[in-house]
Amino acid sequence: MAVVVKYFGAIAEATGVAEERMELDDVKNSLEVLKANCLSKYQTIGDLSFQLSVNQSLSPADDLKDGDEVAFLPPFAGG
């Protein structure tokens, strides 16, 4: 199963990539597993604040599906 992972702002700067495709084990396809994999791969983002979205939803379900888009979003403010 493959998902697209996007990084924005300081997170993209810390990882050195804006987007990548990640393969997940069909058995371990949770958002928490993906987050742990990314934190392990890019240890520089461990100290940064971020929120995860799945398919542009800030209230994502934990189970990911093939083709989902996961975004690491830095803190943002609105007016």
Side-chain angles (χ1 to χ4, degrees), residues 27-72:
V27 176
K28 298 178 183 176
N29 62 349
S30 76
L31 186 58
E32 286 302 313
V33 168
L34 177 118
K35 178 182 172 183
N37 288 346
C38 290
L39 289 172
S40 176
K41 183 176 181 178
Y42 302 112
Q43 295 176 1
T44 54
I45 66 173
D47 293 332
L48 299 176
S49 295
F50 59 83
Q51 186 171 7
L52 295 175
S53 74
V54 177
N55 299 325
Q56 300 180 3
S57 172
L58 293 176
S59 301
D62 188 48
D63 290 335
L64 297 172
K65 295 181 280 320
D66 189 48
D68 279 350
E69 176 189 278
V70 178
F72 281 70

